[in-house]
Amino acid sequence: MTGFPNREVLLRWAPLIVLLILMLFFTALEPRFFSVRNFARIAISAAPALMVAVGVTFIILMGSIDLSMEGAVSVCAVSFAFVFLWLGGSLGGWGWLALPLTLVAGAVLGLVNGLVHVRLRIPSFMASLALGFVGTGLAMLMTGGDRIRIEDPAFRALLTTRWLDFPVMIYVAGLFLLLGWFIQSRTTLGRNLYAVGGGEDLAHGSGLNVARVRIMGFMLAGVFYAVGALMAVARIGIAETATGNGFMFTSITAVVVGGTALWGGTGGVWNTLVGVLIVSVIGNGMVVIGLPGYLQDGILGLLVIIAVVLSTDRRSVSIVK
Amino acid sequence: MSFIKDYIARETLNRRNFLFASAAGLGGVAAGGLFGPGMARAALTDPTIAWGYRNRTNPYWNEIVSGGESFVQSLGLPRDALTHLINEGSSEKSLSDVKALLAKTGGNLALAIDANDAPNCRPVVEAVAEAGAYVATIWNKTDDLHPWDFGDNYVSHMSWSDVKPAEDTARILLDAMGGKGGVVHLGGIASNSPAIQRRQGLENALKDYPDVELLAAEPADWDTQKANQVMSAFLTRFGDEITGVHCANDTIAYGVLEALRAEGIEDMPIVSYDGNPQAVQLVAEKKILATVFTNPYWGGGISAALAYYAATGAFKPSEEPNEHREFYGPTILVTPEDALEFKATYLDSAPDYDWTDYWGPSNGPIRY
C-alpha cells in the first residue's frame, strides 16, 4: 500500500470505472448507444449470462472452477421444454410446475458435478469440463437434434411484457441477483465459500466440512444455471442443444473482468454484475458503432485483457498460474 | 507414280497405328502403376459406411445424417450401422478421424463427408484413395480438385450454388419492402462458402433496386442467440431505417424474429434459407416471406449411397460423365402460397427415396 494512498478504494471500484469508460467511449462514437431502448437490449442479452455467471461466481469464490455450464444450461433448457409441454404447455395450467422442476434438475446436475469432483478427487476443472460434454450429449439424446419451440404467451411475457421500458425477465434476474447476494453475505454457506477460497487448510483446520461446502457450492451454481437456462429459453422461445452455446466464455470472462479473483476468496456477485455488463456492452457496442465483423472477435479479446488488467489486483499474488 | 502414293499412305497409317498402340500401352502401364493397388480390389464387400460432418446439434446436419441413416436402413442394416465422424468444426479432427477409420477398416470403407473447409478436402480424398477406399464429398472442395483425377476412389462431389436462390429470396424481400428503405443482412460464419454466396445473392438483387440501401451486413455465425444480439444492436444503430432483413439461414431468422418481437415489431419483412420444418411453418404464417429448401436429407442419403455403390462395384464412377461426378444439389424456393403443400410433400414424412437413383433430383454440373 505504498505510493498511492487510495489504491484499495480505486481497485474496488475499478470494474465499474471500466464499465463507465466503455459506455462513454461507445456513446462518443455513436450517440444512439446511450438510450433507454438500447440499455434494455443490453439487459436482455445480459440477463441469462448474468444468472450463469452468478452461479459460477460461487465456485470461483471457493478457488475451484466450473466449466460445465454449457451442458448444464442445455440440459435444463431441454428438460424444461419437455416437462412444460407435457404438463400442457401453459403457465396458466400445470405448466408452472416445470419451473421449480428445472431448478431441481439444475441442482441435481450440480450435485453430480460436486460429487465427481470431491468424492472421486478429480480437479474441478476436469470434472466439470467432462460433465459439461456429458450434458451436451444428454441434451442431444433427449432432443434428437430437434429444437423445441415454447410459444406460451404467459411464459414469453418474460420477454414481451415491459415495466418501465424493461422486460419482466430483467426484474426477475434482478431478484435472483439479490438472492445470490443474500446467500453470499448473509448465510453460513456463503461465508463458508469465502473461507474455503481464502484458505482451505485453515477452513479445514477450523473444523469446517470442506467437502460438504464444495458439493453445496456446486449445487447452488447448478440452480443458477437452471435460472439462466429458463431466461435463455424465454429470450428466444426455443430450447435446443445449442441453447448453452457461448455461456462458458461469457460467464468466466465476466467473473474475472468483474474483479473476482480466480484463486478464490475475494469478489462476489456485484463484481459479476459489473463484469457481465462490461462483456455485454462490448458485444453490443461493437455492432452499434459499426465495427467490421472480422475485427470484432479480436477486439473483444483485447478489451477483455485490458479490462482484467485494469480491474483486478494482481499485486497481492506472487504466483499466477 | 501411284505405288509411291500407296506406299506413303500405308506407312502413314502404320505409323499412326504404332503411335496409337504405344500411347495406349504406355497409358495402360501408367494407369496400372497409379491405380494398381486400387484396381486389385475394385469392389469391396460389406464396406463400413461412414458420414463425416460438423455435429448433430445443427438442424441442417441433423437432416443430412438422417438421410445417411435412411440409406443404411435401405440396405437392411440397423440405423446405427452408420459410423459418425463428428469434427465439431475442426479440419484437423476431420482428417485424423478419417485416417483412423481407414486404418481400422483396412480401407474397406465407403465415406461421405464434408471436409469442414475447402483446403482440407484434398488430404482427405488422397488418404481415402491411397487406402483404396471410396469417398463422396459435399460442400467444401477447392476448385482445382476433381473426382475424375482419382480414378474410381473419389466418387463424386455435390455442392449447392446458393447465389441464385438467395437472389430470388432477396427479390421477394425487396418487393415486400416496396422497393425502398434499408435492409440489413445477417450472415453465416464469414469464411463459409454458403455464407459468401448468400450475401452475394442479396447484392446481385440490390443492383435492380437503387432505392434500397444495404445498411449493414454482419456475421451471425449460423447461431440463433448471436443473431438475436446482432439484430438488437442493429435496431439501436439504425432504428426505423431498417425496413427488411435478409438472413443467411433459418436459425439466424429465428433469433431475428425474437429480437423484433422483444421490441413489439411484428410485421418486418424477413427472408431466410435452408427450409427447416419450423421455418417452413413460419413461412406458411407469413412471419418469414421465403426460405430455400436444399433437401439435405436426400443429399446426405445419396452421398452415402454413391460412395457405397461405387465401393461395391454396382457402378463404376470412371465410366460416368463428369456431370455425374460434380453436380449441384436441388434447391426449392418455399413461399407462403406453397408452404403447406411443400411441408406435406417433403417434411411431414420424409419421402421414400430410391437410393439407387443417384442423380435424379440433382441440379446440373458444377460450374466454376
Side-chain angles (χ1 to χ4, degrees):
Chain A
M1 299 304 126
T2 51
F4 198 64
N6 287 329
R7 188 168 168 272
E8 214 163 308
V9 178
L10 203 64
L11 268 173
R12 172 176 299 189
W13 294 100
L16 197 60
I17 295 169
V18 169
L19 177 61
L20 293 176
I21 292 173
L22 278 169
M23 289 175 66
L24 285 175
F25 170 73
F26 287 124
T27 308
L29 289 177
E30 173 57 71
R32 295 191 206 192
F33 175 85
F34 202 87
S35 63
V36 175
R37 289 183 73 180
N38 193 44
F39 293 154
R41 287 167 193 145
I42 293 172
I44 293 169
S45 96
L50 174 65
M51 294 297 97
V52 174
V54 166
V56 79
T57 302
F58 296 124
I59 308 290
I60 292 180
L61 281 179
M62 294 193 292
S64 296
I65 190 86
D66 186 351
L67 302 178
S68 69
M69 59 280 281
E70 297 198 346
V73 166
S74 297
V75 171
C76 290
V78 170
S79 315
F80 165 73
F82 273 119
V83 176
F84 186 69
L85 293 180
W86 184 66
L87 290 170
S90 163
L91 281 188
W94 287 104
W96 66 272
L97 267 175
L99 299 174
L101 283 175
T102 306
L103 302 191
V104 172
V108 170
L109 290 173
L111 174 66
V112 173
N113 209 345
L115 285 175
V116 168
H117 162 47
V118 172
R119 298 278 175 242
L120 298 181
R121 304 181 74 77
I122 299 173
S124 56
F125 171 86
M126 205 56 235
S128 61
L129 185 64
L131 281 168
F133 284 122
V134 172
T136 306
L138 187 61
M140 186 73 226
L141 205 64
M142 290 164 75
T143 59
D146 289 332
R147 33 186 60 218
I148 309 161
R149 287 191 77 85
I150 301 293
E151 289 291 353
D152 177 38
F155 180 66
R156 297 308 307 283
L158 281 169
L159 176 75
T160 52
T161 302
R162 295 196 176 215
W163 297 332
L164 300 173
D165 291 325
F166 285 85
V168 177
M169 63 189 280
I170 307 304
Y171 298 95
V172 176
L175 282 178
F176 275 95
L177 179 66
L178 285 175
L179 177 68
W181 167 77
F182 181 81
I183 293 170
Q184 165 196 306
S185 57
R186 297 281 186 275
T187 63
T188 320
L189 175 63
R191 290 173 196 196
N192 287 345
L193 294 176
Y194 277 98
V196 171
E200 187 165 343
D201 296 347
L202 217 59
H204 186 73
S206 321
L208 188 65
N209 186 343
V210 173
R212 190 166 162 275
V213 171
R214 282 195 182 279
I215 293 173
M216 294 283 283
F218 275 96
M219 281 179 74
L220 184 61
V223 173
F224 275 90
Y225 297 163
V227 179
L230 291 174
M231 293 201 173
V233 176
R235 185 176 60 183
I236 59 170
I238 293 171
E240 55 172 336
T241 316
T243 305
N245 286 5
F247 278 107
M248 194 195 297
F249 175 81
T250 314
S251 57
I252 303 277
T253 308
V255 170
V256 176
V257 168
T260 297
L262 273 177
W263 42 89
T266 57
V269 296
W270 297 115
N271 295 70
T272 299
L273 171 66
V274 176
V276 169
L277 289 177
I278 288 175
V279 175
S280 304
V281 160
I282 292 174
N284 172 279
M286 285 195 303
V287 181
V288 169
I289 63 170
L291 199 68
Y294 52 86
L295 289 178
Q296 287 182 12
D297 284 343
I299 300 285
L300 177 64
L302 287 177
L303 287 177
V304 164
I305 291 176
I306 293 170
V308 173
V309 168
L310 293 178
S311 65
T312 56
D313 180 11
R314 283 150 293 112
R315 208 187 281 183
S316 59
V317 274
S318 48
I319 303 171
V320 174
K321 52 184 178 180
Chain B
M1 301 286 277
S2 67
F3 71 98
I4 297 177
K5 216 174 183 177
D6 286 345
Y7 176 79
I8 292 174
R10 198 166 60 240
E11 283 303 292
T12 311
L13 203 67
N14 281 345
R15 189 176 156 75
R16 194 182 291 157
N17 286 346
F18 172 75
L19 281 174
F20 272 119
S22 37
L26 282 174
V29 169
L34 266 176
F35 301 114
M39 298 275 267
R41 43 181 300 183
L44 306 175
T45 43
D46 293 333
T48 300
I49 307 167
W51 236 114
Y53 58 102
R54 189 180 306 151
N55 63 42
R56 240 185 148 154
T57 313
N58 181 303
Y60 178 82
W61 288 106
N62 188 40
E63 281 291 301
I64 289 260
V65 180
S66 302
E69 287 170 339
S70 162
F71 163 69
V72 169
Q73 285 172 310
S74 77
L75 298 173
L77 297 166
R79 207 167 70 126
D80 55 13
L82 183 71
T83 303
H84 299 258
L85 303 180
I86 297 171
N87 64 45
E88 293 289 358
S90 156
S91 301
E92 290 74 21
K93 184 167 188 315
S94 167
L95 179 59
S96 65
D97 283 358
V98 168
K99 285 184 171 166
L101 190 61
L102 284 169
K104 185 184 165 208
T105 59
N108 191 17
L109 175 68
L111 174 69
I113 190 169
D114 169 33
N116 188 58
D117 65 17
N120 193 44
C121 193
R122 182 177 287 277
V124 166
V125 166
E126 285 176 350
V128 169
E130 195 178 326
Y134 292 79
V135 61
T137 57
I138 69 168
W139 279 120
N140 283 292
K141 171 182 91 59
T142 48
D143 291 352
D144 63 341
L145 181 72
H146 302 289
W148 47 82
D149 292 336
F150 290 84
D152 290 325
N153 297 83
Y154 188 179
V155 180
S156 65
H157 177 76
M158 169 159 48
S159 191
W160 282 262
S161 173
D162 293 350
V163 178
K164 183 67 175 57
E167 187 180 327
D168 293 342
T169 63
R171 286 180 194 282
I172 290 172
L173 174 73
L174 298 169
D175 285 337
M177 290 162 62
K180 58 186 189 328
V183 63
V184 289
H185 170 80
L186 288 92
I189 295 171
S191 60
N192 286 173
S193 48
I196 296 164
Q197 291 177 1
R198 291 172 196 185
R199 181 174 167 179
Q200 187 59 48
L202 170 66
E203 286 176 3
N204 289 356
L206 278 169
K207 285 175 193 150
D208 295 335
Y209 293 82
D211 296 334
V212 179
E213 186 191 353
L214 178 59
L215 296 169
E218 289 277 347
D221 302 352
W222 314 118
D223 183 83
T224 307
Q225 304 199 54
K226 172 106 192 255
N228 187 268
Q229 287 161 23
V230 170
M231 190 63 212
S232 314
F234 275 161
L235 286 170
T236 299
R237 189 168 152 204
F238 302 111
D240 298 337
E241 291 173 50
I242 303 174
T243 55
V245 186
H246 190 264
C247 303
N249 81 342
D250 294 335
T251 47
I252 291 174
Y254 303 144
V256 168
L257 277 169
E258 293 302 328
L260 293 170
R261 183 195 287 218
E263 309 279 335
I265 304 170
E266 297 281 351
D267 53 355
M268 177 78 77
I270 299 169
V271 292
S272 71
Y273 208 105
D274 278 352
N276 290 158
Q278 282 154 351
V280 171
Q281 186 59 44
L282 289 165
V283 171
E285 295 165 15
K286 297 195 179 176
K287 298 254 173 59
I288 297 176
L289 297 180
T291 183
V292 178
F293 183 63
T294 52
N295 209 345
Y297 186 89
W298 180 79
I302 208 66
S303 296
L306 281 163
Y308 177 83
Y309 286 120
T312 57
F315 78 104
K316 200 167 164 53
S318 55
E319 288 169 1
E320 296 292 332
N322 283 359
E323 64 259 35
H324 281 176
R325 306 196 65 187
E326 277 189 3
F327 53 89
Y328 286 123
T331 48
I332 303 169
L333 188 69
V334 184
T335 58
E337 291 75 46
D338 53 25
L340 288 178
E341 188 192 332
F342 169 83
K343 189 163 177 276
T345 318
Y346 284 97
L347 303 178
D348 289 343
S349 57
D352 210 2
Y353 290 108
D354 174 7
W355 298 120
T356 55
D357 179 14
Y358 309 127
W359 299 285
S362 67
N363 211 359
I366 293 178
R367 289 171 296 274
Y368 294 98

